[in-house]
Amino acid sequence: MDLRGQLKIKPDRLMKDLRDLAKIGKLTTGVSRTSLSNADLEARHWLLKRMADAGLKSTIDTVGNVHGQINTDAKSVIIGSHTDSVPVGGWLDGSLGVIYGLEIARTVLEAGYENTIGIHAISFMDEEGTYLACLGSRKFCQELSDDEIADGQNPAGEQLAHALDRAGLTSNPEIFLDSNAHIAYLEAHIEQGPRLEAERKAIGIVTGIVGIRRFRLEIRGEADHAGTVPMSMRKDAGTAAIRFSHRFLETVEGCKGADSVWNVGFVNFEPGAANVVPAKAELLYEIRDLDAVVLDRMESAIHDLCETANQTGLLQYEITKTIDITPSAMDRALSNNILDAAKDIGSPHMMMPSGAGHDAMVFARHIPSAMLFIPSIKGKSHSEAEDTSEKDIIVGCQVLAGSIEGIFST
């Protein structure tokens, strides 16, 4: 059965759903829908009704994932993302992929492919990590223990278990990945960066999602009066932190890979006064790459820097790894389906890595997974300035629908 060209999305309906969803938790041109907030829960119940009205079997599970399914007896492709946001976020981040899933499910039903194409559209809970990063997808894939859920809390100190109970979710059904029934995972997302716009490409086919390693460096010296102690007699943790960071930047530059990125994201001096020599410095460093070997090389170099610094004996340097996320490769066959679908409609495209984390990195550990990006205007994301042209939004959905045709064509 050749399905090429059979699934035609309805652009006006797609855009209306995206615009209507953006009204929930609206902030000027963006949204604020942090996980399990009133706005987040309102958005989930709006989506549940929208799915039901479209003829999908719709359910909210115990952690707030919203599920919409068609042709449940057929092998299914999961199309998912998230509708929660950062505190001051954009209107498309995550929501785009969720509404694509809804629109493609409706399109399959309207095309008359009962019992042929199974679609399982999902909005996952807390991809952004208000309580626990990728909570929904990790729960769905049975990667989370009860202890991890019990330990989760938001910045205000509310326990995740309490928030789920407050939202009335704990008595809902549990729904899990079925690797026999679910044959693939697809996720569409705004790029959240400037590459597609700079290259004038409408579609990005994601090759993989980077691994992330984060480190906390503590340097301990001695507090002294900044006006009376000679420079040569100080144990200045602040100056040491600046010098160490300079060496960090030079070192990772020297052992980077083609897609490596790094960051000095936080610096704090104690006691933090202009007339006091800092007794303590705390810094956060981060490295990202698609290749675990490159990450290993960069991490080793960072530890060597710390060991060398400690050999002077003047100050104490301690580095601790706080996050270690493994790189996730996307499935080549699924990625080629997206590539072919882009070619079929003549859409300019490119292969590219994802420098940000997504629910797809969880799924890639369990079933074949792939991602599609569309451009972000000026590369903006996680802010009210985030936006994408309507034309690119529509093209992205049609390309994703085309990739579904490729999966189910025989």
Side-chain angles (χ1 to χ4, degrees), residues 34-79:
T34 55
S35 294
L36 294 167
S37 65
N38 290 337
D40 175 51
L41 295 171
E42 181 183 349
R44 291 178 187 280
H45 286 283
W46 172 88
L47 178 63
L48 185 74
K49 184 178 187 304
R50 203 77 186 99
M51 287 176 164
D53 290 346
L56 283 66
K57 178 184 175 182
S58 55
T59 314
I60 298 181
D61 68 19
T62 54
V63 295
N65 294 332
V66 184
H67 302 260
Q69 298 173 263
I70 62 168
N71 301 339
T72 54
D73 292 333
K75 297 287 187 180
S76 294
V77 171
I78 300 169
I79 304 176

Side-chain angles (χ1 to χ4, degrees), residues 136-266:
S137 54
R138 291 169 66 198
K139 176 68 173 177
F140 182 72
C141 293
Q142 299 189 64
E143 289 190 5
L144 278 181
S145 67
D146 291 340
D147 287 344
E148 286 178 284
I149 292 176
D151 289 341
Q153 64 178 23
N154 70 8
E158 183 183 26
Q159 296 294 314
L160 172 58
H162 176 267
L164 293 172
D165 186 59
R166 168 177 55 78
L169 297 171
T170 51
S171 61
N172 288 355
E174 289 192 313
I175 302 176
F176 297 119
L177 174 72
D178 181 344
S179 57
N180 293 316
H182 294 122
I183 60 174
Y185 176 77
L186 297 177
E187 183 169 359
H189 209 279
I190 57 168
E191 181 195 348
Q192 300 181 278
R195 294 188 185 189
L196 287 173
E197 186 177 60
E199 297 289 336
R200 298 185 179 181
K201 306 294 186 184
I203 299 294
I205 301 103
V206 176
T207 55
I209 301 173
V210 297
I212 304 171
R213 298 186 192 179
R214 194 171 296 164
F215 306 88
R216 177 188 296 110
L217 175 68
E218 286 191 6
I219 306 174
R220 294 186 178 275
E222 291 182 5
D224 275 310
H225 195 296
T228 61
V229 177
M231 301 300 290
S232 62
M233 298 176 67
R234 299 182 183 189
K235 293 184 178 180
D236 184 347
T239 298
I242 294 167
R243 288 174 176 163
F244 188 97
S245 294
H246 178 68
R247 289 194 295 270
F248 162 80
L249 295 171
E250 289 186 327
T251 299
V252 293
E253 174 74 31
C255 59
K256 66 181 180 181
D259 296 306
S260 299
V261 294
W262 52 89
N263 192 44
V264 182
F266 173 84

Side-chain angles (χ1 to χ4, degrees), residues 77-82 93-94 96-98 100 124 127 137 185-189 204 206 209 330 338 357-363 369-373 400:
V77 171
I78 300 169
I79 304 176
S81 197
H82 60 99
D93 182 353
L96 179 93
V98 172
Y100 275 16
F124 295 108
E127 190 270 355
S137 54
Y185 176 77
L186 297 177
E187 183 169 359
H189 209 279
V206 176
I209 301 173
M330 296 294 98
I338 298 173
H358 299 283
D359 291 305
M361 66 189 183
V362 177
F363 277 90
S369 302
M371 285 196 75
L372 172 156
F373 282 165
L400 196 67

Side-chain angles (χ1 to χ4, degrees), residues 344-409:
D344 285 345
I345 65 170
S347 179
H349 53 273
M350 63 184 285
M351 311 299 290
M352 63 185 299
S354 172
H358 299 283
D359 291 305
M361 66 189 183
V362 177
F363 277 90
R365 296 192 282 267
H366 301 275
I367 59 174
S369 302
M371 285 196 75
L372 172 156
F373 282 165
I374 61 172
S376 295
I377 295 173
K378 296 183 180 178
K380 297 295 184 182
S381 179
H382 282 190
S383 79
E384 294 173 282
E386 172 198 291
D387 204 5
T388 295
S389 75
E390 186 170 309
K391 177 183 177 182
D392 286 337
I393 292 171
I394 294 165
V395 166
C397 192
Q398 189 58 63
V399 169
L400 196 67
S403 74
I404 295 290
E405 294 170 347
I407 292 170
F408 285 95
S409 290

